Amino acid sequence: MLIVGLVAAALAAALHVFIFWLESVAWTSPRARATFGTSPDEAAATRELAFNQGFYNLFLAVLAALGVVLTAGGWVAGPTLVLAGTGCMLAAALVLLISSPDKRRAAVTQGAFPLVAVAATTIALAS
């Protein structure tokens, strides 16, 4: 079960690196605007906010990825970092789902891998 949790955490980290790229690097590009449903004017007006938010996603990805590496290496702190990173990702997805029900698809996309990672890692640690 731990392997399932680590794979899901790694996939969650990869997705959040992509989200970082969309928000912090490519925010005003046609691809990012289509993904987030913003107009060129909206993207320009919110560029600084998106840049900052992208780094939150990057930091969560680093936390989860570092946890995966440390867990694979046998370090005791590894599962804690996996759960901290993916737990925060899952919490953010729940906030998005509750605060913006029209963004349900994005919330599910953002939260699916973290949910599997949290559940599988917790089950593995409990057994």
Side-chain angles (χ1 to χ4, degrees):
M1 194 54 83
L2 185 59
I3 299 291
V4 172
L6 296 180
V7 169
L11 291 170
L15 176 62
H16 279 71
V17 169
F18 178 65
I19 294 169
F20 155 77
W21 178 80
L22 283 173
E23 292 175 340
S24 295
V25 177
W27 183 248
T28 57
S29 72
R31 166 77 188 250
R33 286 188 291 104
T35 299
F36 292 99
T38 57
S39 69
D41 289 338
E42 290 170 325
T46 58
R47 186 177 194 154
E48 287 180 26
L49 293 170
F51 182 80
N52 188 45
Q53 184 171 316
F55 274 90
Y56 277 90
N57 284 298
L58 179 63
F59 299 147
L60 292 175
V62 169
L63 186 63
L66 182 59
V68 169
V69 170
L70 291 179
T71 302
W75 291 75
V76 175
T80 301
L81 296 177
V82 167
L83 289 173
T86 58
C88 287
M89 290 173 185
L90 180 56
L94 290 172
V95 167
L96 179 60
L97 180 64
I98 292 165
S99 66
S100 301
D102 62 310
K103 294 183 176 61
R104 178 176 33 255
R105 182 172 182 248
V108 170
T109 299
Q110 177 182 326
F113 288 135
L115 175 62
V116 172
V118 167
T121 302
T122 301
I123 290 168
L125 293 174
S127 34

